[in-house]
């Protein structure tokens, strides 16, 4: 008696499709090719390591670009996606993520981690910012800017195009992580 007829008429049955959806994702084979590419210069090393990190962690791009060094523990394959550390997560959730155990990919991530830790303070960003004047890692920047997600996307696309590799949006690396885990 309390439900109005006008509201009931707005209810529609969902159409079910027999055609399975094909979803795009980064594959392990693509990641191994990316990891094997020589990366000349800090820009290339950061882009390569960032793409590999996204696949290994399954992190969203917004959380990834705001990860401080203190939130990343490569030897223990752990990432602390805690808003209290400055990580911008979806719905302000906190999570402890385990990196996939793929040695060739972990090596790329560990090499970049070693490089940025030698220059940046613990609250420095893992996706390290570069100085506009020198083109080198800028240790004075410890806060992620408003457009950092777009910067990462552009950097990834530029590097992949330079290398003649297929570009996937950052979220497709998250899909690749999930797909890989489901196969294990």
């Amino acid at each position: 008696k309390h439900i109005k007829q006008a509201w009931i008429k707005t209810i529609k049955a969902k159409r079910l499709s027999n055609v399975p959806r094909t979803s795009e994702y980064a594959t392990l084979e693509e990641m191994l090719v990316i990891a094997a590419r020589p990366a000349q210069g800090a820009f290339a090393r950061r882009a390569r390591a960032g793409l590999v990190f996204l696949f290994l962690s399954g992190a969203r791009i917004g959380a990834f670009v705001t990860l401080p060094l203190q939130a990343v523990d490569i030897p223990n394959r752990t990432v602390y996606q805690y808003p209290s550390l400055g990580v911008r997560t979806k719905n302000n959730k906190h999570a402890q993520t385990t990196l996939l155990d793929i040695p060739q990919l972990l090596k790329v991530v560990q090499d970049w981690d070693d490089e940025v830790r030698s220059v940046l303070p613990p609250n420095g960003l893992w996706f390290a910012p570069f100085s506009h004047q020198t083109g080198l890692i800028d240790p004075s920047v410890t806060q992620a800017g408003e457009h950092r997600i777009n910067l990462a996307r552009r950097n990834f696309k530029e590097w992949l195009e330079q290398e003649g590799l297929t570009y996937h949006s950052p979220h497709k690396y998250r899909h690749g992580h999930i797909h890989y885990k489901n196969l294990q």
Side-chain angles (χ1 to χ4, degrees):
K1 290 183 176 185
H2 301 302
I3 299 174
K4 297 188 188 292
Q5 190 67 27
W7 180 80
I8 292 173
K9 288 181 181 179
T10 65
I11 298 174
K12 294 182 181 177
K14 183 177 180 181
R15 290 183 177 221
L16 300 176
S17 171
N18 291 336
V19 179
R21 267 185 9 173
T22 56
S23 67
E24 177 189 346
Y25 58 89
T27 65
L28 176 60
E29 292 75 24
E30 287 176 299
M31 298 314 303
L32 293 172
V33 169
I34 287 171
R37 278 291 206 269
Q40 303 301 320
F43 172 85
R45 289 190 301 276
R46 179 181 74 172
R48 181 181 65 173
L51 292 166
V52 171
F53 188 95
L54 287 171
F55 183 84
L56 288 175
S57 68
R60 294 177 184 277
I61 187 69
F64 168 70
V65 298
T66 58
L67 281 171
L69 291 176
Q70 61 195 356
V72 179
D73 182 0
I74 305 298
N76 292 310
R77 297 184 14 243
T78 305
V79 180
Y80 303 97
Q81 296 186 48
Y82 297 166
S84 61
L85 294 175
V87 182
R88 295 182 195 151
T89 61
K90 184 176 180 180
N91 297 324
N92 216 26
K93 291 180 184 176
H94 77 280
Q96 185 174 321
T97 309
T98 302
L99 298 174
L100 297 174
D101 189 13
I102 306 170
Q104 303 94 312
L105 302 184
L106 285 169
K107 168 111 176 66
V108 170
V109 170
Q110 182 65 64
D111 289 348
W112 176 252
D113 190 74
D114 292 342
E115 183 174 344
V116 293
R117 284 184 194 280
S118 70
V119 178
L120 298 176
N123 64 338
L125 298 169
W126 198 88
F127 188 71
F130 294 133
S131 166
H132 295 293
Q133 288 79 26
T134 66
L136 301 173
I137 294 172
D138 188 349
S140 68
V141 179
T142 57
Q143 296 294 316
E146 183 180 340
H147 304 288
R148 194 138 169 81
I149 293 172
N150 295 330
L151 170 75
R153 283 189 179 119
R154 279 194 314 274
N155 289 173
F156 295 155
K157 187 172 186 174
E158 184 179 324
W159 184 75
L160 288 166
E161 286 175 354
Q162 285 174 359
E163 294 297 315
L165 299 172
T166 303
Y167 172 77
H168 297 289
S169 72
H171 206 70
K172 301 308 179 200
Y173 293 88
R174 178 177 169 79
H175 285 252
H177 171 90
I178 294 164
H179 187 77
Y180 179 85
K181 281 182 72 168
N182 288 338
L183 292 176
Q184 298 308 306

